[in-house]
Amino acid sequence: MSAVPEEYVGERWKRLGDMLLDARLLTQGQLSEALAEKERKKCFLGQALVMLGYLTQDELISFLVKQCKIPHINLLDYVLEPRIVKLLPNELCLQYKLIPIDQLGSILTICMVNPLDIDALEHARNACPNLKIKPILCSPEHFDLVASRHLVTVKTDADGNPAKQEMSLASYGLKSQPAPTKRPAITERSAPEPLPASDADSAPSDGSFTLLVREVLGELLNTFQGPLQGRPESLDQLWLSTDHHTVQFSFTLDVSGSICYVSPPVSSVLGYSPEEFRLSFLDLLTEHPTNSILRQALTLSLSGRHRAPVEAELRAKDGLPRMLVIALIPVFDASENVVAVQGIARDVTRRAATEQLLYRAATHDTLTGLLNLRSFLTRLEETIALSARHGTPVTIAVMNVDDFTRVNEVYGHEEGDSVLQQMGHILKDTLRGEDILARSGGDEFCILMPQVRPEGGQNGMERYREALTRARFVSKTGETLTLTVTIGFTSIAEATAVPDELLNTARSLVRRGKEAGGNQIVVGD
């Protein structure tokens, strides 16, 4: 049997270099130079191209994701379970720069620096013959950081049991700093000395919150001596040197879960003094759903388990909610016992509010506040899938105002927009709780009625038509307008329907109704 090329895509077994040439992202000379660099450095061809400057890391990832259909994740944001990591031998993972990250049934997802390495995939399949291997892409820098923590040689004691290991800066891929010879007690009244320039410069410069959390942990462990007795000096100094990372305040929990220290900047974030926050932390949590995740994270951290930073909503002293990103990091002694949990929080209220506004702008119609066409099609696709699973019908309707152009011509577009807003209110008041209403553009409205058969759909459409026909639309000049609408609706009972095709069918029914005079309901075949 002939050898399989090292780098291939799907059934074509086409080399990555050939694909890049076809896409005109490389010249033959650049590819030859990159292949030579690949052999010298014993690395993935993509890495060689990045090192030579022929592609950026983002361009490489984008190409692999789009052209090779390989998904990509930020490995630093992924919480790895030791049980999953151990499914593949450490030596194999380190040799081929891969690491298992998730298992769903018989599918094992592995993160790879080179997901096109057939040799690595074959070894992974041989190591887990009962599982199907699904490769995804990660950056080599992220892999090196994660591997330094999770892919280590396990030492055993005299009895053959795994020896407990201390955490260190090196295990997090960070630069070690000398431990202080003396650790004076730090109180809230005594401000620590600023870090020397060399220490301040060692903070991560890429703005990564994850890396910053790890550095804080490393600094804490570097100064930690026995049971926690107050606040380590260098952690406060680190706080003063990292304003550019937007970390707002830090806190420490003892093994009972009680907060024993809060840094003074908490007052600039939430308005509470450190002592007020220390005594009432859990009481400040609002009813926001994400706070349940924070409570779980607290429990996991106190048991010595790590997880990614979580969002939490707290009530500030002014009574307004604040959204924080909180990282919780367990701290161990030399015997691997949890002695504290270090918390670092930053205020992301503005970012959360901006994301909410952007999400609403992307999913809702700005004029009426109803769902837009994209969101409606997404809901329709989901409803069709549920219909297929449970064997229930789905009815969709499209509604157009008869002769709406005349409204804009006689009264102006501003009055036309006002009429559409009033229509949106009337339709929402008439809507069933489980129905989905959207404005798809112009004077067109769409209604999705899950679990409704054709006869029920026709009754519902008549209810909407009568509500709009009876309505009196008042212009800003005080004039009263009356309108009629034409509605086309169709139902499906099978899972083969395509959302766009279903919508177009309903639109063709509307056109048929308007050609017949309008102000009517047209039912699909």
Side-chain angles (χ1 to χ4, degrees):
M1 182 175 181
S2 60
V4 178
E6 178 188 347
E7 292 152 357
Y8 74 102
V9 180
E11 297 179 353
R12 299 180 181 179
W13 289 2
K14 191 172 185 181
R15 292 179 180 274
L16 175 62
D18 294 336
M19 296 186 68
L20 290 167
L21 288 175
D22 291 346
R24 298 185 178 181
L25 294 176
L26 288 180
T27 65
Q28 186 61 56
Q30 291 172 335
L31 177 59
S32 299
E33 186 178 353
L35 288 171
E37 181 74 6
K38 168 184 175 294
E39 293 302 321
R40 284 195 298 270
K41 298 292 181 67
K42 302 299 180 184
C43 63
F44 172 39
L45 175 60
Q47 288 178 262
L49 291 167
V50 172
M51 287 187 289
L52 292 172
Y54 295 142
L55 290 177
T56 66
Q57 187 73 32
D58 288 342
E59 288 172 338
L60 174 64
I61 290 174
S62 177
F63 184 84
L64 291 173
V65 171
K66 293 180 181 178
Q67 302 299 324
C68 305
K69 309 302 181 185
I70 299 174
H72 167 258
I73 67 166
N74 184 340
L75 190 55
L76 293 182
D77 291 339
Y78 215 93
V79 181
L80 301 184
E81 296 183 30
R83 175 184 65 84
I84 301 297
V85 174
K86 292 177 182 177
L87 290 175
L88 292 179
N90 282 1
E91 296 77 9
L92 174 65
C93 295
L94 292 171
Q95 179 182 353
Y96 292 104
K97 288 186 176 292
L98 57 88
I99 186 169
I101 63 170
D102 193 20
Q103 180 184 359
L104 182 61
S106 61
I107 300 176
L108 177 64
T109 302
I110 60 174
C111 215
M112 304 178 65
V113 171
N114 178 7
L116 303 180
D117 189 339
I118 185 61
D119 191 37
L121 291 171
E122 190 65 27
H123 279 83
R125 293 189 183 101
N126 292 336
C128 300
N130 297 324
L131 297 177
K132 181 179 179 181
I133 303 300
K134 175 185 175 183
I136 60 176
L137 175 69
C138 69
S139 72
E141 293 82 5
H142 290 179
F143 174 84
D144 291 340
L145 282 174
V146 172
S148 66
R149 176 58 186 158
H150 291 278
L151 301 178
V152 294
T153 303
V154 179
K155 300 179 181 180
T156 57
D157 56 22
D159 299 326
N161 299 317
K164 295 180 178 179
Q165 304 175 35
E166 290 190 62
M167 300 167 69
S168 65
L169 278 171
S171 69
Y172 281 90
L174 297 172
K175 178 181 174 182
S176 180
Q177 299 184 20
T181 56
K182 184 178 180 181
R183 186 181 54 153
I186 299 295
T187 66
E188 294 176 14
R189 296 181 180 177
S190 59
E193 294 295 324
L195 275 176
S198 59
D199 289 342
D201 291 341
S202 68
S205 60
D206 61 356
S208 168
F209 188 60
T210 305
L211 289 177
L212 179 63
V213 167
R214 290 178 172 177
E215 182 161 350
V216 171
L217 175 60
E219 288 285 341
L220 177 60
L221 292 173
N222 211 21
T223 58
F224 186 76
Q225 305 285 342
L228 197 65
Q229 301 289 339
R231 183 69 169 172
E233 177 187 13
S234 63
L235 195 56
D236 271 323
Q237 291 178 341
L238 180 66
W239 158 253
L240 292 177
S241 68
T242 53
D243 288 343
H244 58 288
H245 289 285
T246 67
V247 178
Q248 298 298 319
F249 67 93
S250 58
F251 57 92
T252 305
L253 294 88
D254 59 25
V255 290
S256 68
S258 300
I259 294 182
C260 58
Y261 175 86
V262 184
S263 64
V266 67
S267 59
S268 65
V269 178
L270 297 171
Y272 300 103
S273 68
E275 183 66 12
E276 288 174 328
F277 181 85
R278 186 182 70 82
L279 295 174
S280 58
F281 169 51
L282 293 179
D283 294 333
L284 300 179
L285 295 175
T286 67
E287 298 298 321
H288 196 286
T290 191
N291 287 342
S292 62
I293 301 176
L294 173 63
R295 295 178 189 273
Q296 295 172 11
L298 286 168
T299 303
L300 289 174
S301 299
L302 289 168
S303 66
R305 297 177 62 183
H306 296 263
R307 66 156 297 149
V310 298
E311 289 190 349
E313 187 180 81
L314 281 75
R315 185 180 65 259
K317 199 165 187 176
D318 59 10
L320 298 176
R322 297 284 195 281
M323 186 63 73
L324 306 179
V325 168
I326 299 178
L328 298 167
I329 309 151
V331 181
F332 304 87
D333 60 13
S335 300
E336 198 72 8
N337 298 313
V338 178
V339 293
V341 171
Q342 176 61 40
I344 306 175
R346 60 173 175 171
D347 186 358
V348 294
T349 304
R350 289 186 178 180
R351 189 203 73 186
T354 301
E355 288 176 351
Q356 186 174 3
L357 289 173
L358 291 174
Y359 173 79
R360 184 165 183 82
T363 58
H364 287 70
D365 172 50
T366 55
L367 179 64
T368 61
L370 303 176
L371 292 177
N372 60 20
L373 178 59
R374 178 183 296 178
S375 298
F376 182 80
L377 290 174
T378 299
R379 298 288 186 90
L380 178 57
E381 186 175 10
E382 294 169 351
T383 304
I384 291 174
L386 288 174
S387 172
R389 184 182 306 169
H390 301 292
T392 55
V394 176
T395 294
I396 178 177
V398 171
M399 176 187 308
N400 270 103
V401 180
D402 295 328
D403 200 17
F404 186 73
T405 304
R406 184 181 61 86
V407 176
N408 285 330
E409 291 176 349
V410 174
Y411 299 98
H413 287 278
E414 188 175 349
E415 293 292 349
D417 289 346
S418 176
V419 168
L420 293 175
Q421 289 174 331
Q422 294 176 62
M423 284 184 64
H425 289 303
I426 294 171
L427 290 172
K428 280 194 290 186
D429 292 341
T430 313
L431 201 69
R432 294 189 316 157
E434 56 269 37
D435 292 348
I436 298 170
L437 172 66
R439 177 183 174 233
S440 51
D443 60 321
E444 182 180 89
F445 293 82
C446 300
I447 302 174
L448 172 61
M449 293 171 285
Q451 303 181 15
V452 172
R453 300 189 180 278
E455 56 273 17
Q458 187 164 3
N459 294 334
M461 290 305 101
E462 187 61 38
R463 188 170 65 253
Y464 291 124
R465 192 187 67 81
E466 289 181 357
L468 292 171
T469 301
R470 292 195 307 266
R472 296 295 181 265
F473 299 93
V474 181
S475 69
K476 293 184 178 180
T477 59
E479 294 184 66
T480 301
L481 308 177
T482 58
L483 299 173
T484 60
V485 295
T486 298
I487 303 173
F489 84 93
T490 183
S491 297
I492 59 166
E494 66 279 349
T496 57
V498 177
D500 287 322
E501 294 178 358
L502 196 60
L503 186 64
N504 289 334
T505 299
R507 284 170 171 166
S508 66
L509 295 173
V510 171
R511 288 193 294 271
R512 187 194 306 174
K514 288 196 171 187
E515 290 171 358
N519 191 23
Q520 58 185 284
I521 300 170
V522 184
V523 184
D525 298 331

PDB file of all heavy atoms in Angstrom, residues 34 70 86 113 139 160 164 166 171 182 193 202 266 270 285 296 315 364-365 386 411 428 451 497 510 516 519 525:
ATOM      1  N   ALA A  34       9.490  27.211   2.024  1.00  0.00           N
ATOM      2  CA  ALA A  34       8.778  26.810   3.229  1.00  0.00           C
ATOM      3  C   ALA A  34       8.926  25.318   3.496  1.00  0.00           C
ATOM      4  O   ALA A  34       9.056  24.886   4.652  1.00  0.00           O
ATOM      5  CB  ALA A  34       7.307  27.183   3.109  1.00  0.00           C
ATOM      6  N   ILE A  70     -11.763  22.836   8.576  1.00  0.00           N
ATOM      7  CA  ILE A  70     -11.255  22.411   9.876  1.00  0.00           C
ATOM      8  C   ILE A  70     -11.641  23.461  10.910  1.00  0.00           C
ATOM      9  O   ILE A  70     -11.246  24.617  10.799  1.00  0.00           O
ATOM     10  CB  ILE A  70      -9.717  22.252   9.848  1.00  0.00           C
ATOM     11  CG1 ILE A  70      -9.325  21.179   8.832  1.00  0.00           C
ATOM     12  CG2 ILE A  70      -9.187  21.901  11.228  1.00  0.00           C
ATOM     13  CD1 ILE A  70      -7.837  21.051   8.632  1.00  0.00           C
ATOM     14  N   LYS A  86      -6.118  12.039  29.470  1.00  0.00           N
ATOM     15  CA  LYS A  86      -5.409  10.770  29.645  1.00  0.00           C
ATOM     16  C   LYS A  86      -5.801   9.713  28.619  1.00  0.00           C
ATOM     17  O   LYS A  86      -5.227   8.616  28.614  1.00  0.00           O
ATOM     18  CB  LYS A  86      -5.660  10.229  31.054  1.00  0.00           C
ATOM     19  CG  LYS A  86      -5.029  11.073  32.152  1.00  0.00           C
ATOM     20  CD  LYS A  86      -5.375  10.534  33.526  1.00  0.00           C
ATOM     21  CE  LYS A  86      -4.782  11.413  34.622  1.00  0.00           C
ATOM     22  NZ  LYS A  86      -5.177  10.937  35.976  1.00  0.00           N
ATOM     23  N   VAL A 113      -2.043  21.154  16.485  1.00  0.00           N
ATOM     24  CA  VAL A 113      -1.354  22.237  15.798  1.00  0.00           C
ATOM     25  C   VAL A 113      -1.358  21.975  14.296  1.00  0.00           C
ATOM     26  O   VAL A 113      -1.494  22.890  13.491  1.00  0.00           O
ATOM     27  CB  VAL A 113       0.085  22.366  16.332  1.00  0.00           C
ATOM     28  CG1 VAL A 113       0.893  23.338  15.478  1.00  0.00           C
ATOM     29  CG2 VAL A 113       0.064  22.846  17.783  1.00  0.00           C
ATOM     30  N   SER A 139      -3.549  27.099  17.888  1.00  0.00           N
ATOM     31  CA  SER A 139      -2.260  27.724  17.596  1.00  0.00           C
ATOM     32  C   SER A 139      -1.150  27.029  18.377  1.00  0.00           C
ATOM     33  O   SER A 139      -1.384  26.508  19.472  1.00  0.00           O
ATOM     34  CB  SER A 139      -2.297  29.209  17.962  1.00  0.00           C
ATOM     35  OG  SER A 139      -2.292  29.363  19.367  1.00  0.00           O
ATOM     36  N   GLY A 160       4.267   3.336  44.358  1.00  0.00           N
ATOM     37  CA  GLY A 160       3.765   3.273  42.988  1.00  0.00           C
ATOM     38  C   GLY A 160       2.587   4.172  42.724  1.00  0.00           C
ATOM     39  O   GLY A 160       2.030   4.150  41.626  1.00  0.00           O
ATOM     40  N   LYS A 164       2.326  13.704  44.423  1.00  0.00           N
ATOM     41  CA  LYS A 164       1.705  15.022  44.341  1.00  0.00           C
ATOM     42  C   LYS A 164       2.753  16.038  43.915  1.00  0.00           C
ATOM     43  O   LYS A 164       3.881  16.023  44.393  1.00  0.00           O
ATOM     44  CB  LYS A 164       1.106  15.399  45.694  1.00  0.00           C
ATOM     45  CG  LYS A 164      -0.042  14.481  46.085  1.00  0.00           C
ATOM     46  CD  LYS A 164      -0.626  14.868  47.425  1.00  0.00           C
ATOM     47  CE  LYS A 164      -1.814  13.976  47.780  1.00  0.00           C
ATOM     48  NZ  LYS A 164      -2.398  14.314  49.082  1.00  0.00           N
ATOM     49  N   GLU A 166       3.892  20.102  43.040  1.00  0.00           N
ATOM     50  CA  GLU A 166       3.602  21.502  43.320  1.00  0.00           C
ATOM     51  C   GLU A 166       3.413  22.255  42.004  1.00  0.00           C
ATOM     52  O   GLU A 166       4.027  21.940  40.994  1.00  0.00           O
ATOM     53  CB  GLU A 166       4.760  22.134  44.093  1.00  0.00           C
ATOM     54  CG  GLU A 166       4.877  21.605  45.523  1.00  0.00           C
ATOM     55  CD  GLU A 166       5.862  22.420  46.330  1.00  0.00           C
ATOM     56  OE1 GLU A 166       5.614  23.630  46.501  1.00  0.00           O
ATOM     57  OE2 GLU A 166       6.873  21.870  46.765  1.00  0.00           O
ATOM     58  N   SER A 171       5.117  25.629  34.983  1.00  0.00           N
ATOM     59  CA  SER A 171       3.993  24.797  34.533  1.00  0.00           C
ATOM     60  C   SER A 171       2.943  25.611  33.808  1.00  0.00           C
ATOM     61  O   SER A 171       2.072  25.054  33.155  1.00  0.00           O
ATOM     62  CB  SER A 171       3.353  24.090  35.741  1.00  0.00           C
ATOM     63  OG  SER A 171       2.684  25.011  36.571  1.00  0.00           O
ATOM     64  N   LYS A 182      11.908  38.775  52.349  1.00  0.00           N
ATOM     65  CA  LYS A 182      11.090  39.115  53.496  1.00  0.00           C
ATOM     66  C   LYS A 182       9.721  39.535  53.003  1.00  0.00           C
ATOM     67  O   LYS A 182       9.588  40.251  52.031  1.00  0.00           O
ATOM     68  CB  LYS A 182      11.736  40.262  54.277  1.00  0.00           C
ATOM     69  CG  LYS A 182      10.983  40.606  55.567  1.00  0.00           C
ATOM     70  CD  LYS A 182      11.695  41.718  56.316  1.00  0.00           C
ATOM     71  CE  LYS A 182      10.952  42.076  57.600  1.00  0.00           C
ATOM     72  NZ  LYS A 182      11.606  43.164  58.321  1.00  0.00           N
ATOM     73  N   GLU A 193       4.957  49.290  47.570  1.00  0.00           N
ATOM     74  CA  GLU A 193       5.847  49.979  46.647  1.00  0.00           C
ATOM     75  C   GLU A 193       5.574  49.503  45.226  1.00  0.00           C
ATOM     76  O   GLU A 193       5.235  48.346  45.008  1.00  0.00           O
ATOM     77  CB  GLU A 193       7.313  49.683  47.016  1.00  0.00           C
ATOM     78  CG  GLU A 193       7.720  50.273  48.367  1.00  0.00           C
ATOM     79  CD  GLU A 193       7.695  51.787  48.349  1.00  0.00           C
ATOM     80  OE1 GLU A 193       8.035  52.370  47.302  1.00  0.00           O
ATOM     81  OE2 GLU A 193       7.319  52.383  49.366  1.00  0.00           O
ATOM     82  N   SER A 202       7.336  42.265  32.693  1.00  0.00           N
ATOM     83  CA  SER A 202       7.130  40.840  32.481  1.00  0.00           C
ATOM     84  C   SER A 202       5.670  40.474  32.399  1.00  0.00           C
ATOM     85  O   SER A 202       5.337  39.342  32.107  1.00  0.00           O
ATOM     86  CB  SER A 202       7.775  40.040  33.618  1.00  0.00           C
ATOM     87  OG  SER A 202       7.074  40.281  34.842  1.00  0.00           O
ATOM     88  N   VAL A 266     -11.951  47.717  44.729  1.00  0.00           N
ATOM     89  CA  VAL A 266     -13.344  47.265  44.649  1.00  0.00           C
ATOM     90  C   VAL A 266     -14.308  48.436  44.807  1.00  0.00           C
ATOM     91  O   VAL A 266     -15.407  48.442  44.248  1.00  0.00           O
ATOM     92  CB  VAL A 266     -13.629  46.186  45.726  1.00  0.00           C
ATOM     93  CG1 VAL A 266     -13.544  46.779  47.120  1.00  0.00           C
ATOM     94  CG2 VAL A 266     -14.992  45.550  45.496  1.00  0.00           C
ATOM     95  N   LEU A 270     -17.652  48.774  42.471  1.00  0.00           N
ATOM     96  CA  LEU A 270     -18.975  48.506  43.027  1.00  0.00           C
ATOM     97  C   LEU A 270     -19.427  49.528  44.062  1.00  0.00           C
ATOM     98  O   LEU A 270     -20.599  49.530  44.463  1.00  0.00           O
ATOM     99  CB  LEU A 270     -19.002  47.108  43.658  1.00  0.00           C
ATOM    100  CG  LEU A 270     -18.774  45.938  42.688  1.00  0.00           C
ATOM    101  CD1 LEU A 270     -18.611  44.636  43.461  1.00  0.00           C
ATOM    102  CD2 LEU A 270     -19.914  45.836  41.697  1.00  0.00           C
ATOM    103  N   LEU A 285     -25.087  39.181  44.789  1.00  0.00           N
ATOM    104  CA  LEU A 285     -25.422  38.538  43.523  1.00  0.00           C
ATOM    105  C   LEU A 285     -26.892  38.765  43.197  1.00  0.00           C
ATOM    106  O   LEU A 285     -27.762  38.593  44.044  1.00  0.00           O
ATOM    107  CB  LEU A 285     -25.134  37.040  43.594  1.00  0.00           C
ATOM    108  CG  LEU A 285     -23.664  36.642  43.771  1.00  0.00           C
ATOM    109  CD1 LEU A 285     -23.537  35.135  43.936  1.00  0.00           C
ATOM    110  CD2 LEU A 285     -22.827  37.113  42.590  1.00  0.00           C
ATOM    111  N   GLN A 296     -21.331  27.506  41.056  1.00  0.00           N
ATOM    112  CA  GLN A 296     -20.707  26.223  40.746  1.00  0.00           C
ATOM    113  C   GLN A 296     -19.192  26.364  40.655  1.00  0.00           C
ATOM    114  O   GLN A 296     -18.446  25.489  41.122  1.00  0.00           O
ATOM    115  CB  GLN A 296     -21.261  25.693  39.416  1.00  0.00           C
ATOM    116  CG  GLN A 296     -22.749  25.361  39.446  1.00  0.00           C
ATOM    117  CD  GLN A 296     -23.281  25.023  38.062  1.00  0.00           C
ATOM    118  OE1 GLN A 296     -22.518  24.839  37.114  1.00  0.00           O
ATOM    119  NE2 GLN A 296     -24.596  24.956  37.930  1.00  0.00           N
ATOM    120  N   ARG A 315     -24.932  43.530  42.389  1.00  0.00           N
ATOM    121  CA  ARG A 315     -25.615  44.809  42.634  1.00  0.00           C
ATOM    122  C   ARG A 315     -24.635  45.766  43.291  1.00  0.00           C
ATOM    123  O   ARG A 315     -24.091  45.505  44.365  1.00  0.00           O
ATOM    124  CB  ARG A 315     -26.836  44.581  43.530  1.00  0.00           C
ATOM    125  CG  ARG A 315     -27.683  45.845  43.745  1.00  0.00           C
ATOM    126  CD  ARG A 315     -28.860  45.538  44.635  1.00  0.00           C
ATOM    127  NE  ARG A 315     -28.456  45.152  45.989  1.00  0.00           N
ATOM    128  CZ  ARG A 315     -28.406  43.910  46.431  1.00  0.00           C
ATOM    129  NH1 ARG A 315     -28.727  42.896  45.630  1.00  0.00           N
ATOM    130  NH2 ARG A 315     -28.030  43.639  47.671  1.00  0.00           N
ATOM    131  N   HIS A 364     -33.148  41.991  15.470  1.00  0.00           N
ATOM    132  CA  HIS A 364     -34.458  42.644  15.515  1.00  0.00           C
ATOM    133  C   HIS A 364     -34.549  43.773  14.493  1.00  0.00           C
ATOM    134  O   HIS A 364     -33.545  44.397  14.131  1.00  0.00           O
ATOM    135  CB  HIS A 364     -34.735  43.200  16.919  1.00  0.00           C
ATOM    136  CG  HIS A 364     -35.039  42.139  17.931  1.00  0.00           C
ATOM    137  ND1 HIS A 364     -34.082  41.260  18.393  1.00  0.00           N
ATOM    138  CD2 HIS A 364     -36.205  41.804  18.575  1.00  0.00           C
ATOM    139  CE1 HIS A 364     -34.638  40.440  19.273  1.00  0.00           C
ATOM    140  NE2 HIS A 364     -35.908  40.740  19.391  1.00  0.00           N
ATOM    141  N   ASP A 365     -35.760  44.038  14.077  1.00  0.00           N
ATOM    142  CA  ASP A 365     -36.057  45.150  13.176  1.00  0.00           C
ATOM    143  C   ASP A 365     -36.028  46.453  13.977  1.00  0.00           C
ATOM    144  O   ASP A 365     -36.686  46.575  15.020  1.00  0.00           O
ATOM    145  CB  ASP A 365     -37.439  44.932  12.550  1.00  0.00           C
ATOM    146  CG  ASP A 365     -37.903  46.136  11.760  1.00  0.00           C
ATOM    147  OD1 ASP A 365     -37.120  46.624  10.931  1.00  0.00           O
ATOM    148  OD2 ASP A 365     -39.040  46.595  11.993  1.00  0.00           O
ATOM    149  N   LEU A 386     -37.722  20.454  14.973  1.00  0.00           N
ATOM    150  CA  LEU A 386     -38.549  19.907  16.054  1.00  0.00           C
ATOM    151  C   LEU A 386     -39.774  19.203  15.498  1.00  0.00           C
ATOM    152  O   LEU A 386     -40.211  18.169  16.025  1.00  0.00           O
ATOM    153  CB  LEU A 386     -38.972  21.039  16.998  1.00  0.00           C
ATOM    154  CG  LEU A 386     -37.875  21.608  17.898  1.00  0.00           C
ATOM    155  CD1 LEU A 386     -38.405  22.816  18.675  1.00  0.00           C
ATOM    156  CD2 LEU A 386     -37.381  20.553  18.878  1.00  0.00           C
ATOM    157  N   TYR A 411     -49.024  60.499   2.363  1.00  0.00           N
ATOM    158  CA  TYR A 411     -48.732  61.013   3.706  1.00  0.00           C
ATOM    159  C   TYR A 411     -47.235  61.126   4.006  1.00  0.00           C
ATOM    160  O   TYR A 411     -46.858  61.723   5.015  1.00  0.00           O
ATOM    161  CB  TYR A 411     -49.386  60.117   4.766  1.00  0.00           C
ATOM    162  CG  TYR A 411     -50.891  60.054   4.642  1.00  0.00           C
ATOM    163  CD1 TYR A 411     -51.509  58.994   3.979  1.00  0.00           C
ATOM    164  CD2 TYR A 411     -51.697  61.064   5.172  1.00  0.00           C
ATOM    165  CE1 TYR A 411     -52.894  58.931   3.854  1.00  0.00           C
ATOM    166  CE2 TYR A 411     -53.082  61.005   5.054  1.00  0.00           C
ATOM    167  CZ  TYR A 411     -53.668  59.938   4.392  1.00  0.00           C
ATOM    168  OH  TYR A 411     -55.040  59.887   4.283  1.00  0.00           O
ATOM    169  N   LYS A 428     -48.736  42.068  17.710  1.00  0.00           N
ATOM    170  CA  LYS A 428     -48.214  41.492  18.954  1.00  0.00           C
ATOM    171  C   LYS A 428     -49.331  41.262  19.967  1.00  0.00           C
ATOM    172  O   LYS A 428     -49.338  40.264  20.687  1.00  0.00           O
ATOM    173  CB  LYS A 428     -47.143  42.415  19.558  1.00  0.00           C
ATOM    174  CG  LYS A 428     -45.787  42.265  18.907  1.00  0.00           C
ATOM    175  CD  LYS A 428     -44.675  42.921  19.706  1.00  0.00           C
ATOM    176  CE  LYS A 428     -44.781  44.428  19.669  1.00  0.00           C
ATOM    177  NZ  LYS A 428     -43.617  45.072  20.319  1.00  0.00           N
ATOM    178  N   GLN A 451     -46.925  23.711  15.563  1.00  0.00           N
ATOM    179  CA  GLN A 451     -47.947  22.746  15.981  1.00  0.00           C
ATOM    180  C   GLN A 451     -49.369  23.190  15.596  1.00  0.00           C
ATOM    181  O   GLN A 451     -50.327  22.883  16.302  1.00  0.00           O
ATOM    182  CB  GLN A 451     -47.863  22.497  17.494  1.00  0.00           C
ATOM    183  CG  GLN A 451     -46.498  22.010  17.943  1.00  0.00           C
ATOM    184  CD  GLN A 451     -46.442  21.738  19.436  1.00  0.00           C
ATOM    185  OE1 GLN A 451     -47.462  21.652  20.107  1.00  0.00           O
ATOM    186  NE2 GLN A 451     -45.239  21.604  19.957  1.00  0.00           N
ATOM    187  N   ALA A 497     -38.854  20.280   4.220  1.00  0.00           N
ATOM    188  CA  ALA A 497     -39.034  21.679   3.832  1.00  0.00           C
ATOM    189  C   ALA A 497     -37.773  22.488   4.097  1.00  0.00           C
ATOM    190  O   ALA A 497     -37.077  22.277   5.086  1.00  0.00           O
ATOM    191  CB  ALA A 497     -40.212  22.273   4.583  1.00  0.00           C
ATOM    192  N   VAL A 510     -49.412  35.357  -1.444  1.00  0.00           N
ATOM    193  CA  VAL A 510     -49.793  36.758  -1.239  1.00  0.00           C
ATOM    194  C   VAL A 510     -49.972  37.455  -2.591  1.00  0.00           C
ATOM    195  O   VAL A 510     -50.942  38.199  -2.804  1.00  0.00           O
ATOM    196  CB  VAL A 510     -48.732  37.495  -0.385  1.00  0.00           C
ATOM    197  CG1 VAL A 510     -49.018  38.993  -0.351  1.00  0.00           C
ATOM    198  CG2 VAL A 510     -48.724  36.947   1.030  1.00  0.00           C
ATOM    199  N   ALA A 516     -55.995  39.043  -7.139  1.00  0.00           N
ATOM    200  CA  ALA A 516     -57.436  38.779  -7.099  1.00  0.00           C
ATOM    201  C   ALA A 516     -58.213  39.889  -6.396  1.00  0.00           C
ATOM    202  O   ALA A 516     -59.408  39.744  -6.140  1.00  0.00           O
ATOM    203  CB  ALA A 516     -57.696  37.439  -6.420  1.00  0.00           C
ATOM    204  N   ASN A 519     -57.155  42.021   0.311  1.00  0.00           N
ATOM    205  CA  ASN A 519     -58.015  41.911   1.492  1.00  0.00           C
ATOM    206  C   ASN A 519     -58.571  40.488   1.621  1.00  0.00           C
ATOM    207  O   ASN A 519     -59.769  40.285   1.781  1.00  0.00           O
ATOM    208  CB  ASN A 519     -59.155  42.932   1.438  1.00  0.00           C
ATOM    209  CG  ASN A 519     -59.897  43.007   2.776  1.00  0.00           C
ATOM    210  OD1 ASN A 519     -59.354  42.656   3.825  1.00  0.00           O
ATOM    211  ND2 ASN A 519     -61.137  43.456   2.741  1.00  0.00           N
ATOM    212  N   ASP A 525     -51.678  24.832  -1.198  1.00  0.00           N
ATOM    213  CA  ASP A 525     -52.215  23.498  -1.506  1.00  0.00           C
ATOM    214  C   ASP A 525     -51.779  22.490  -0.450  1.00  0.00           C
ATOM    215  O   ASP A 525     -50.688  22.569   0.085  1.00  0.00           O
ATOM    216  CB  ASP A 525     -51.709  23.043  -2.884  1.00  0.00           C
ATOM    217  CG  ASP A 525     -52.193  23.998  -3.980  1.00  0.00           C
ATOM    218  OD1 ASP A 525     -53.269  24.598  -3.788  1.00  0.00           O
ATOM    219  OD2 ASP A 525     -51.471  24.136  -4.987  1.00  0.00           O
TER     220      ASP A 525
END
